[in-house]
Amino acid sequence: MDKDEIYQTLLDGLGRYLDNPLIRAVHRTVRRYPVPALAYAFNKNQMASKGWLVNELLRVNGSDLGIVHIMGGWYGVLAALLLNDDRFTIEKITRFDIDPDCVEPARLLNEPYVQNSRFTAVTCDVTRLNYAEQQAPDVVINTSCEHLQDFSSWLQAMPPQALLVLQSNDYFSCDEHVNCAPNLQAFEQQAGLATVLYAGELARKRYTRYMLIGRRRHRPGSG
């Protein structure tokens, strides 16, 4: 039995023993799509950051999330964590990402919620998303603010009534990170939220991740 078979057997056994639908979904997805990037989406740093987000969102907002939009949602891991968490009431999650290769793994990971129309994976550039054509979200989550060159314009396009959950980091050495912040205070200045319900940081080995939860400043004449 090679290493990949060992990991898949472990996932299968845990999913059955614990009767855990999320573990079973992860096993099903990695068997069909054994790509390195999917493993990265579940690494300890990614999962620590997402777990932090889930718990703080529950504490700040409560259980009722309504309609949720996840920007740069990649393989749909955060959506799966939220949808499989019985502490939340969620009407629907739409995950937006520019990479079309992530759509089918995201759909498979969230398959039960695709079937009952509570999860949708959309391929698009989130900086060009037309919110006039979208169902108005109650919560907008972006855990990849460091990837957005024109972060300010993207932010001002968000529906003003939506609760915003934003994450960034100080990992400047990654070439794809075009909008890092050197510290939490700098990230708060970047975002310029009118109301900040939570501001915090999570130290990791190679970087620090920042998170803001709040509502944006509504400018006259903006959407």
Side-chain angles (χ1 to χ4, degrees):
M1 182 180 292
D2 64 23
K3 184 172 64 176
D4 290 341
E5 289 178 307
I6 291 171
Y7 292 151
Q8 290 182 11
T9 300
L10 286 170
L11 283 172
D12 186 31
L14 284 172
R16 292 171 187 269
Y17 176 74
L18 298 173
D19 192 26
N20 188 304
L22 179 57
I23 294 178
R24 291 198 298 271
V26 173
H27 178 233
R28 182 172 62 244
T29 305
V30 298
R31 284 189 65 186
R32 188 176 301 181
Y33 301 100
V35 295
L38 185 56
Y40 181 78
F42 282 99
N43 75 20
K44 61 183 180 181
N45 289 326
Q46 293 286 333
M47 295 304 288
S49 298
K50 290 175 173 59
W52 175 42
L53 184 156
V54 168
N55 290 326
E56 290 299 337
L57 179 58
L58 179 67
R59 186 183 65 81
V60 170
N61 181 78
S63 60
D64 189 2
L65 300 186
I67 297 172
V68 180
H69 287 183
I70 299 178
M71 304 293 167
W74 210 11
Y75 289 105
V77 175
L78 179 56
L81 295 179
L82 291 169
L83 288 166
N84 283 278
D85 193 324
D86 292 337
R87 297 176 297 174
F88 291 105
T89 300
I90 299 171
E91 182 177 339
K92 181 179 180 179
I93 293 180
T94 302
R95 152 251 174 253
F96 301 92
D97 198 278
I98 199 169
D99 187 350
D101 291 336
C102 297
V103 169
E104 292 308 318
R107 285 173 55 85
L108 185 58
L109 184 62
N110 292 280
E111 187 175 36
Y113 307 101
V114 172
Q115 294 175 354
N116 65 17
S117 300
R118 293 179 61 205
F119 176 80
T120 302
V122 175
T123 300
C124 74
D125 181 344
V126 299
T127 64
R128 299 183 178 182
L129 189 61
N130 184 354
Y131 261 90
E133 299 174 353
Q134 303 295 326
Q135 189 175 17
D138 299 294
V139 179
V140 175
I141 301 173
N142 188 338
T143 63
S144 305
C145 296
E146 68 276 9
H147 288 263
L148 297 184
Q149 184 77 53
D150 195 353
F151 174 59
S152 178
S153 294
W154 171 82
L155 193 61
Q156 283 304 312
M158 292 300 99
Q161 78 282 356
L163 181 71
L164 300 177
V165 184
L166 309 173
Q167 286 190 353
S168 187
N169 59 53
D170 62 354
Y171 196 11
F172 287 92
S173 61
C174 177
D175 291 340
E176 295 178 358
H177 292 180
V178 295
N179 185 48
C180 285
N183 51 54
L184 177 61
Q185 292 71 29
F187 185 42
E188 288 188 76
Q189 290 177 356
Q190 277 186 3
L193 298 180
T195 304
V196 177
L197 302 174
Y198 174 83
E201 55 187 50
L202 182 67
R204 308 307 298 162
K205 186 175 181 179
R206 291 185 292 177
Y207 61 87
T208 299
R209 184 169 289 274
Y210 316 120
M211 182 163 66
L212 303 173
I213 302 177
R215 301 184 190 277
R216 77 171 177 85
R217 194 176 309 280
H218 181 64
R219 294 176 182 171
S222 64

Coordinates of all heavy atoms in Angstrom, one line a residue, residues 75-144:
Y75 N -11.5 25.6 -3.7 CA -12.1 24.3 -3.8 C -13.3 24.1 -2.9 O -13.8 23.0 -2.7 CB -11.1 23.2 -3.4 CG -10.0 23.0 -4.4 CD1 -8.7 23.5 -4.2 CD2 -10.2 22.4 -5.6 CE1 -7.7 23.3 -5.2 CE2 -9.2 22.2 -6.6 CZ -8.0 22.7 -6.4 OH -7.0 22.5 -7.3
G76 N -13.8 25.2 -2.4 CA -15.1 25.1 -1.6 C -14.9 24.6 -0.2 O -15.9 24.2 0.4
V77 N -13.7 24.6 0.3 CA -13.4 24.1 1.7 C -14.2 24.9 2.8 O -14.8 24.3 3.6 CB -11.9 24.0 2.0 CG1 -11.7 23.5 3.4 CG2 -11.2 23.1 1.0
L78 N -14.1 26.2 2.7 CA -14.7 27.0 3.7 C -16.2 26.8 3.6 O -16.9 26.7 4.7 CB -14.4 28.5 3.6 CG -15.0 29.5 4.5 CD1 -14.8 29.1 6.0 CD2 -14.6 30.9 4.3
A79 N -16.8 26.8 2.4 CA -18.2 26.5 2.3 C -18.6 25.2 2.9 O -19.6 25.1 3.6 CB -18.6 26.5 0.8
A80 N -17.8 24.1 2.7 CA -18.0 22.8 3.3 C -18.0 22.9 4.9 O -18.9 22.3 5.5 CB -17.1 21.8 2.8
L81 N -17.1 23.6 5.4 CA -17.0 23.8 6.9 C -18.2 24.4 7.4 O -18.8 24.0 8.4 CB -15.7 24.6 7.3 CG -14.4 23.9 6.9 CD1 -13.3 24.9 7.4 CD2 -14.2 22.6 7.6
L82 N -18.7 25.5 6.8 CA -19.9 26.2 7.2 C -21.1 25.4 7.1 O -22.0 25.3 8.0 CB -20.0 27.5 6.5 CG -19.0 28.6 6.8 CD1 -19.0 29.7 5.8 CD2 -19.1 29.1 8.2
L83 N -21.3 24.7 5.9 CA -22.5 24.0 5.6 C -22.6 22.7 6.5 O -23.7 22.3 6.8 CB -22.6 23.6 4.1 CG -22.9 24.8 3.2 CD1 -22.6 24.4 1.7 CD2 -24.3 25.3 3.3
N84 N -21.5 22.2 6.9 CA -21.5 21.0 7.7 C -21.5 21.3 9.2 O -21.4 20.4 10.0 CB -20.4 20.1 7.4 CG -20.6 19.3 6.1 OD1 -21.3 18.3 6.1 ND2 -20.1 19.8 5.0
D85 N -21.6 22.6 9.6 CA -21.5 23.0 11.0 C -23.0 23.2 11.4 O -23.6 24.2 11.0 CB -20.7 24.3 11.1 CG -20.4 24.6 12.5 OD1 -21.2 24.3 13.4 OD2 -19.3 25.1 12.8
D86 N -23.5 22.3 12.3 CA -24.8 22.4 12.8 C -25.1 23.7 13.6 O -26.3 23.9 13.9 CB -25.2 21.2 13.6 CG -25.2 19.9 12.8 OD1 -25.4 20.0 11.5 OD2 -25.1 18.8 13.3
R87 N -24.1 24.4 13.9 CA -24.4 25.6 14.7 C -24.9 26.8 13.9 O -25.5 27.7 14.4 CB -23.1 26.1 15.4 CG -22.5 25.1 16.4 CD -21.1 25.6 16.9 NE -20.1 25.7 15.8 CZ -18.9 26.3 16.0 NH1 -18.6 26.7 17.2 NH2 -18.0 26.3 15.0
F88 N -24.8 26.6 12.5 CA -25.2 27.7 11.6 C -26.5 27.4 10.9 O -26.8 26.2 10.6 CB -24.2 28.0 10.6 CG -22.9 28.6 11.1 CD1 -21.8 27.9 11.3 CD2 -22.9 29.9 11.5 CE1 -20.6 28.4 11.7 CE2 -21.8 30.5 12.0 CZ -20.6 29.8 12.1
T89 N -27.3 28.4 10.6 CA -28.4 28.3 9.7 C -28.1 29.1 8.5 O -27.8 30.3 8.5 CB -29.7 28.9 10.3 OG1 -30.0 28.2 11.6 CG2 -30.9 28.9 9.4
I90 N -28.0 28.4 7.3 CA -27.5 29.0 6.1 C -28.6 28.7 5.0 O -28.9 27.6 4.8 CB -26.2 28.4 5.7 CG1 -25.1 28.8 6.8 CG2 -25.7 29.0 4.3 CD1 -23.8 28.1 6.6
E91 N -29.0 29.8 4.3 CA -29.9 29.6 3.2 C -29.2 29.1 2.0 O -29.6 28.1 1.3 CB -30.6 30.9 2.9 CG -31.7 30.8 1.7 CD -32.4 32.1 1.5 OE1 -32.4 32.9 2.4 OE2 -32.9 32.2 0.4
K92 N -28.1 29.7 1.6 CA -27.3 29.3 0.5 C -25.9 29.9 0.5 O -25.8 31.0 1.0 CB -28.0 29.7 -0.8 CG -27.3 29.3 -2.1 CD -28.1 29.8 -3.4 CE -27.4 29.3 -4.6 NZ -28.1 29.7 -5.8
I93 N -24.9 29.2 0.0 CA -23.6 29.7 -0.2 C -23.3 29.6 -1.7 O -23.4 28.6 -2.4 CB -22.5 28.9 0.5 CG1 -22.7 29.0 2.1 CG2 -21.1 29.3 0.2 CD1 -21.7 28.3 2.9
T94 N -22.8 30.8 -2.2 CA -22.2 30.8 -3.6 C -20.8 31.1 -3.5 O -20.4 32.1 -2.8 CB -22.9 31.9 -4.4 OG1 -24.3 31.7 -4.5 CG2 -22.4 31.9 -5.9
R95 N -20.0 30.3 -4.1 CA -18.5 30.4 -4.1 C -18.0 30.9 -5.4 O -18.4 30.3 -6.5 CB -17.9 29.1 -3.6 CG -16.5 28.8 -4.2 CD -16.6 27.7 -5.2 NE -15.3 27.5 -5.9 CZ -15.1 27.9 -7.2 NH1 -16.0 28.5 -7.9 NH2 -14.0 27.6 -7.8
F96 N -17.3 32.0 -5.4 CA -16.8 32.6 -6.7 C -15.3 32.4 -6.7 O -14.6 32.6 -5.7 CB -17.1 34.1 -6.7 CG -18.5 34.4 -6.6 CD1 -19.2 34.7 -5.4 CD2 -19.3 34.5 -7.8 CE1 -20.5 35.0 -5.3 CE2 -20.7 34.9 -7.7 CZ -21.3 35.1 -6.5
D97 N -14.8 32.0 -7.9 CA -13.3 31.8 -8.0 C -13.0 32.0 -9.5 O -13.8 31.6 -10.4 CB -12.8 30.5 -7.5 CG -11.3 30.5 -7.3 OD1 -10.6 30.3 -8.2 OD2 -10.9 30.8 -6.1
I98 N -11.8 32.5 -9.8 CA -11.4 32.7 -11.2 C -10.9 31.4 -11.9 O -10.9 31.4 -13.1 CB -10.3 33.8 -11.3 CG1 -10.2 34.4 -12.7 CG2 -9.0 33.3 -10.8 CD1 -9.4 35.7 -12.8
D99 N -10.6 30.4 -11.2 CA -10.0 29.2 -11.7 C -11.1 28.2 -12.1 O -11.7 27.6 -11.1 CB -9.0 28.6 -10.7 CG -8.3 27.4 -11.3 OD1 -8.6 26.9 -12.4 OD2 -7.3 26.9 -10.7
P100 N -11.4 27.9 -13.3 CA -12.4 26.9 -13.7 C -12.1 25.5 -13.3 O -13.1 24.7 -13.1 CB -12.5 27.1 -15.2 CG -11.2 27.6 -15.6 CD -10.7 28.5 -14.5
D101 N -10.9 25.2 -13.1 CA -10.5 23.8 -12.7 C -10.9 23.5 -11.3 O -10.9 22.3 -10.9 CB -9.0 23.6 -12.8 CG -8.5 23.6 -14.2 OD1 -9.3 23.3 -15.1 OD2 -7.3 23.9 -14.5
C102 N -11.3 24.5 -10.5 CA -11.7 24.2 -9.1 C -13.2 23.9 -9.0 O -13.7 23.5 -7.9 CB -11.4 25.4 -8.2 SG -9.6 25.7 -8.1
V103 N -14.0 24.2 -10.0 CA -15.5 24.1 -9.9 C -15.9 22.7 -9.6 O -16.7 22.5 -8.6 CB -16.1 24.5 -11.2 CG1 -17.6 24.2 -11.2 CG2 -16.0 26.0 -11.4
E104 N -15.5 21.7 -10.3 CA -16.0 20.3 -10.1 C -15.5 19.7 -8.7 O -16.3 19.1 -8.0 CB -15.6 19.4 -11.2 CG -16.3 19.7 -12.5 CD -17.8 19.8 -12.4 OE1 -18.4 19.0 -11.7 OE2 -18.4 20.8 -12.9
P105 N -14.3 19.9 -8.3 CA -13.9 19.5 -7.0 C -14.8 20.2 -5.9 O -15.2 19.5 -4.9 CB -12.4 19.9 -6.8 CG -11.9 19.8 -8.2 CD -13.1 20.3 -9.1
A106 N -15.0 21.5 -6.1 CA -15.8 22.2 -5.1 C -17.2 21.7 -5.0 O -17.9 21.5 -4.0 CB -15.8 23.7 -5.4
R107 N -17.8 21.3 -6.2 CA -19.1 20.8 -6.3 C -19.2 19.4 -5.6 O -20.1 19.1 -4.9 CB -19.6 20.7 -7.7 CG -20.0 22.1 -8.3 CD -20.3 21.9 -9.8 NE -21.3 20.9 -10.1 CZ -22.6 21.1 -10.1 NH1 -23.1 22.3 -9.8 NH2 -23.4 20.2 -10.3
L108 N -18.2 18.6 -5.9 CA -18.2 17.2 -5.3 C -18.0 17.3 -3.8 O -18.6 16.6 -3.0 CB -17.0 16.4 -5.9 CG -17.0 14.9 -5.5 CD1 -18.3 14.2 -5.8 CD2 -15.8 14.3 -6.1
L109 N -17.1 18.2 -3.3 CA -16.9 18.3 -1.8 C -18.2 18.8 -1.2 O -18.5 18.4 0.0 CB -15.8 19.4 -1.6 CG -15.4 19.6 -0.1 CD1 -14.8 18.3 0.5 CD2 -14.4 20.7 0.0
N110 N -19.0 19.5 -1.9 CA -20.3 20.0 -1.3 C -21.5 19.4 -2.0 O -22.6 20.0 -2.0 CB -20.3 21.6 -1.4 CG -19.3 22.3 -0.6 OD1 -19.5 22.5 0.6 ND2 -18.2 22.6 -1.2
E111 N -21.4 18.2 -2.4 CA -22.4 17.5 -3.3 C -23.8 17.5 -2.7 O -24.8 17.8 -3.4 CB -21.9 16.1 -3.6 CG -22.9 15.4 -4.6 CD -22.3 14.1 -5.0 OE1 -21.7 13.4 -4.1 OE2 -22.5 13.7 -6.2
P112 N -24.0 17.2 -1.4 CA -25.4 17.2 -0.9 C -26.0 18.5 -0.9 O -27.2 18.6 -1.1 CB -25.2 16.7 0.6 CG -23.9 16.1 0.6 CD -23.0 16.7 -0.4
Y113 N -25.2 19.6 -0.8 CA -25.7 20.9 -0.8 C -25.9 21.5 -2.2 O -26.7 22.4 -2.5 CB -24.9 21.8 0.0 CG -24.7 21.3 1.4 CD1 -23.5 20.6 1.7 CD2 -25.7 21.3 2.3 CE1 -23.3 20.0 3.0 CE2 -25.5 20.8 3.6 CZ -24.3 20.1 3.9 OH -24.2 19.5 5.1
V114 N -25.2 20.9 -3.2 CA -25.5 21.2 -4.6 C -26.9 20.6 -5.0 O -27.7 21.2 -5.6 CB -24.4 20.5 -5.5 CG1 -24.8 20.7 -7.0 CG2 -23.1 21.2 -5.3
Q115 N -27.1 19.4 -4.5 CA -28.4 18.7 -4.8 C -29.6 19.4 -4.2 O -30.7 19.4 -4.9 CB -28.3 17.3 -4.3 CG -27.3 16.4 -5.0 CD -27.2 15.0 -4.5 OE1 -27.8 14.7 -3.4 NE2 -26.4 14.2 -5.1
N116 N -29.5 20.1 -3.1 CA -30.6 20.8 -2.5 C -30.5 22.3 -2.7 O -31.2 23.1 -2.1 CB -30.8 20.5 -1.0 CG -29.6 21.0 -0.1 OD1 -28.8 21.8 -0.6 ND2 -29.5 20.5 1.1
S117 N -29.6 22.7 -3.7 CA -29.5 24.1 -4.2 C -29.0 25.0 -3.1 O -29.3 26.2 -3.1 CB -30.9 24.6 -4.7 OG -31.3 23.8 -5.8
R118 N -28.3 24.5 -2.1 CA -27.7 25.4 -1.1 C -26.3 25.7 -1.3 O -25.7 26.5 -0.6 CB -27.9 24.8 0.3 CG -29.4 24.6 0.7 CD -29.5 24.0 2.1 NE -28.8 24.8 3.1 CZ -28.3 24.2 4.2 NH1 -28.4 22.9 4.5 NH2 -27.7 25.0 5.2
F119 N -25.7 25.2 -2.4 CA -24.3 25.5 -2.8 C -24.2 25.6 -4.3 O -24.6 24.7 -5.0 CB -23.3 24.4 -2.3 CG -21.9 24.7 -2.7 CD1 -21.1 25.6 -2.0 CD2 -21.3 24.1 -3.8 CE1 -19.8 25.9 -2.5 CE2 -20.0 24.3 -4.3 CZ -19.3 25.3 -3.6
T120 N -23.5 26.7 -4.7 CA -23.3 26.9 -6.1 C -21.8 27.4 -6.3 O -21.3 28.2 -5.5 CB -24.2 28.0 -6.7 OG1 -25.6 27.6 -6.5 CG2 -23.9 28.2 -8.2
A121 N -21.1 26.8 -7.3 CA -19.8 27.2 -7.6 C -19.8 28.0 -8.9 O -20.2 27.5 -9.9 CB -18.9 26.0 -7.7
V122 N -19.3 29.3 -8.8 CA -19.3 30.1 -10.0 C -17.9 30.5 -10.4 O -17.1 30.9 -9.5 CB -20.1 31.4 -9.7 CG1 -20.0 32.4 -10.9 CG2 -21.6 31.1 -9.4
T123 N -17.6 30.4 -11.7 CA -16.3 30.9 -12.2 C -16.3 32.3 -12.6 O -17.1 32.6 -13.5 CB -15.8 30.0 -13.3 OG1 -15.7 28.6 -12.8 CG2 -14.4 30.4 -13.8
C124 N -15.6 33.2 -12.0 CA -15.6 34.6 -12.5 C -14.4 35.3 -11.8 O -13.8 34.8 -10.8 CB -16.9 35.3 -12.1 SG -17.1 35.7 -10.4
D125 N -14.1 36.5 -12.3 CA -13.1 37.4 -11.7 C -14.0 38.2 -10.7 O -14.8 39.0 -11.1 CB -12.5 38.3 -12.8 CG -11.5 39.3 -12.2 OD1 -11.5 39.5 -11.0 OD2 -10.8 39.9 -13.0
V126 N -13.7 38.1 -9.4 CA -14.5 38.7 -8.4 C -14.4 40.2 -8.5 O -15.3 40.9 -8.0 CB -14.2 38.2 -7.0 CG1 -14.4 36.7 -6.8 CG2 -12.7 38.6 -6.6
T127 N -13.3 40.8 -9.1 CA -13.2 42.2 -9.2 C -14.2 42.8 -10.3 O -14.3 44.0 -10.4 CB -11.8 42.6 -9.5 OG1 -11.4 42.1 -10.8 CG2 -10.8 42.1 -8.4
R128 N -14.8 41.9 -11.1 CA -15.7 42.3 -12.1 C -17.1 41.8 -11.9 O -17.9 41.9 -12.8 CB -15.2 41.8 -13.5 CG -13.8 42.4 -13.9 CD -13.4 42.0 -15.2 NE -12.1 42.5 -15.6 CZ -11.5 42.4 -16.8 NH1 -12.0 41.6 -17.7 NH2 -10.3 42.9 -17.0
L129 N -17.3 41.3 -10.7 CA -18.7 40.8 -10.4 C -19.7 41.9 -10.3 O -19.5 42.9 -9.7 CB -18.6 40.1 -9.0 CG -19.8 39.3 -8.6 CD1 -20.1 38.1 -9.5 CD2 -19.5 38.7 -7.2
N130 N -20.8 41.7 -11.0 CA -21.9 42.7 -11.1 C -22.9 42.3 -10.0 O -23.7 41.4 -10.2 CB -22.5 42.7 -12.5 CG -23.5 43.8 -12.6 OD1 -23.9 44.5 -11.6 ND2 -24.0 44.0 -13.8
Y131 N -23.0 43.1 -9.0 CA -23.9 42.7 -7.9 C -25.4 43.0 -8.2 O -26.3 42.5 -7.6 CB -23.5 43.3 -6.6 CG -22.7 42.3 -5.7 CD1 -21.4 42.2 -5.8 CD2 -23.4 41.5 -4.9 CE1 -20.7 41.3 -5.1 CE2 -22.7 40.5 -4.2 CZ -21.4 40.4 -4.3 OH -20.7 39.5 -3.5
A132 N -25.6 43.8 -9.3 CA -27.0 44.0 -9.7 C -27.6 42.7 -10.3 O -28.8 42.5 -10.4 CB -27.0 45.1 -10.8
E133 N -26.7 41.8 -10.7 CA -27.1 40.5 -11.3 C -27.1 39.4 -10.3 O -27.4 38.2 -10.6 CB -26.2 40.1 -12.5 CG -26.3 41.2 -13.6 CD -25.3 40.9 -14.7 OE1 -24.5 39.9 -14.5 OE2 -25.3 41.6 -15.7
Q134 N -26.8 39.6 -9.0 CA -26.7 38.6 -8.0 C -27.7 38.8 -6.9 O -28.2 39.9 -6.7 CB -25.3 38.7 -7.3 CG -24.1 38.6 -8.3 CD -24.1 37.2 -9.0 OE1 -24.4 36.2 -8.4 NE2 -23.6 37.2 -10.2
Q135 N -28.1 37.6 -6.4 CA -29.0 37.7 -5.2 C -28.3 38.4 -4.1 O -27.1 38.0 -3.8 CB -29.4 36.3 -4.8 CG -30.5 36.2 -3.8 CD -31.0 34.8 -3.5 OE1 -30.3 33.8 -3.9 NE2 -32.1 34.6 -2.9
A136 N -28.9 39.3 -3.4 CA -28.2 40.1 -2.4 C -27.7 39.3 -1.3 O -28.6 38.5 -0.7 CB -29.1 41.2 -1.9
P137 N -26.4 39.3 -0.9 CA -25.9 38.4 0.2 C -26.1 39.1 1.5 O -26.1 40.3 1.6 CB -24.5 38.3 -0.2 CG -24.1 39.6 -0.8 CD -25.4 40.0 -1.6
D138 N -26.2 38.3 2.5 CA -26.2 38.8 3.9 C -24.8 38.8 4.5 O -24.5 39.7 5.3 CB -27.1 37.9 4.8 CG -28.5 37.8 4.4 OD1 -29.2 38.8 4.5 OD2 -29.0 36.7 3.9
V139 N -24.0 37.9 4.0 CA -22.6 37.9 4.4 C -21.7 37.7 3.2 O -22.0 36.9 2.3 CB -22.3 36.7 5.4 CG1 -20.9 36.6 5.8 CG2 -23.3 36.8 6.6
V140 N -20.6 38.5 3.1 CA -19.6 38.3 2.1 C -18.3 38.0 2.7 O -17.8 38.7 3.6 CB -19.5 39.6 1.2 CG1 -18.3 39.4 0.2 CG2 -20.7 39.9 0.5
I141 N -17.6 36.9 2.3 CA -16.4 36.4 2.9 C -15.3 36.5 1.9 O -15.5 36.0 0.8 CB -16.5 35.0 3.5 CG1 -17.6 35.0 4.5 CG2 -15.2 34.6 4.1 CD1 -17.9 33.5 5.0
N142 N -14.2 37.1 2.2 CA -13.0 37.1 1.3 C -11.8 36.8 2.2 O -11.3 37.7 2.9 CB -12.9 38.4 0.6 CG -11.8 38.4 -0.5 OD1 -10.9 37.6 -0.4 ND2 -11.8 39.3 -1.4
T143 N -11.3 35.6 2.0 CA -10.1 35.2 2.8 C -8.8 35.4 2.0 O -7.7 35.0 2.4 CB -10.2 33.8 3.3 OG1 -10.2 32.9 2.1 CG2 -11.4 33.5 4.1
S144 N -8.9 36.1 0.8 CA -7.8 36.3 -0.1 C -7.6 37.7 -0.5 O -7.2 38.0 -1.6 CB -7.9 35.4 -1.3 OG -8.2 34.1 -1.0

